[in-house]
Amino acid sequence: MTGICANRVVVVTGAGRGLGRAHALAFAAEGAAVVVNDLGAALDGAGASDAPAREVVAEIEAAGGRAVAHGGDIATAEGASSLIATALETYGRLDTLVNNAGFLRDRMLVNLTEDDWDAVVRVHLRGHFLPLKHAAAHWRAETRAGRPAAARVIGTTSGAGLLGSVGQGNYSAAKAGIVALTLVAAAELGRYGVGVNAIAPAARTRMTEGGFAGLRGLPEDVSPLVVWLGSGGSEGVTGRVFEVEGGRVTVMEGWRRGASAEAPARWTPESAGATARTLLSTTPPPLPPYGSTPTP
């Protein structure tokens, strides 16, 4: 097949439904061979089924593309390792990793259980780290063997990870962690020819249809940028976060040093407080978390 990802091998986690499915189909349409990972869990992470991944593989093959299903739990070392091994054993290479798997267990903080916290942080943050770790080890070995990579990693954060979201403390924390992981990976893996970026998508999926019914974008609106980021054409783009909704793409700007002051001697609590208030008076307020009540 032809396309901007012809001859590339792409792994997409959480690719049985929603955004991941759209990404997998879009990569295949641009010529990539796709490893379709999905545990087949419910919205809260319960249960498992290989049907969603197999159905996406069937769609890709029916359109003339190449794909293989992987039903392992990528938040385990064994599952993440076998995911990367599936790409290498089936197609002989790995060019792009799209980390997308996740689920929700929304609660206000006072009602959030340890299990709700651990489960969501595990699938989103650990589920990004482990596939990335195993893919990076492969690309490092290839570089050391004289076969430098032109590899790409795309993580999936969220507006909740950038601004916070009321009732989603666990999800927001995990998604914020993915941004930091993206920045670290971009700095560490550039020497091996790996570009690492993240998207903050907003689209109508089964994860968002309950609490964010007003979303206008579809998963298929997000995938074109993901495919480009996963292609050779994105060379030199790394350590970036893009917000994508409908037809809009926004480059997100992270923390930057703003107004500051320095004391000639150690601050007292009173002088530190007075200085902080002065600095804040010249600094725009942060954007409010999703679902919050604006301050009067």
Side-chain angles (χ1 to χ4, degrees), residues 251-281:
V251 177
M252 303 304 289
E253 297 182 354
W255 290 104
R256 296 177 182 272
R257 291 185 178 88
S260 65
E262 187 171 349
R266 181 174 297 161
W267 299 101
T268 65
E270 292 79 4
S271 63
T275 300
R277 287 194 176 277
T278 299
L279 295 175
L280 289 171
S281 70

Side-chain angles (χ1 to χ4, degrees), residues 70 97 293:
H70 179 273
L97 169 64
T293 303

Side-chain angles (χ1 to χ4, degrees), residues 24-166:
L25 294 172
F27 272 110
E30 290 293 333
V34 185
V35 180
V36 178
N37 163 265
D38 203 283
L39 191 59
L43 275 173
D44 64 353
S49 169
D50 62 357
R54 288 192 291 103
E55 289 169 2
V56 174
V57 168
E59 284 188 75
I60 291 172
E61 291 179 338
R66 296 178 296 158
V68 62
H70 179 273
D73 181 355
I74 46 80
T76 67
E78 180 182 6
S81 176
S82 71
L83 175 65
I84 304 307
T86 296
L88 299 176
E89 292 167 2
T90 306
Y91 300 115
R93 59 185 294 138
L94 172 64
D95 299 289
T96 299
L97 169 64
V98 181
N99 281 321
N100 169 77
F103 56 75
L104 297 175
R105 292 190 186 179
D106 294 351
R107 302 282 191 280
M108 301 297 279
L109 287 172
V110 294
N111 297 319
L112 189 64
T113 69
E114 290 182 29
D115 183 60
D116 292 333
W117 176 274
D118 291 343
V120 169
V121 171
R122 175 185 181 275
V123 69
H124 289 279
L125 190 52
R126 186 180 172 99
H128 269 62
F129 160 63
L130 286 174
L132 173 58
K133 171 185 169 69
H134 288 281
H138 165 70
W139 290 322
R140 180 182 65 177
E142 287 291 283
T143 299
R144 290 178 174 177
R147 298 184 293 270
R152 305 288 184 263
V153 177
I154 301 96
T156 306
T157 182
S158 166
L162 302 173
L163 301 178
S165 180
V166 172

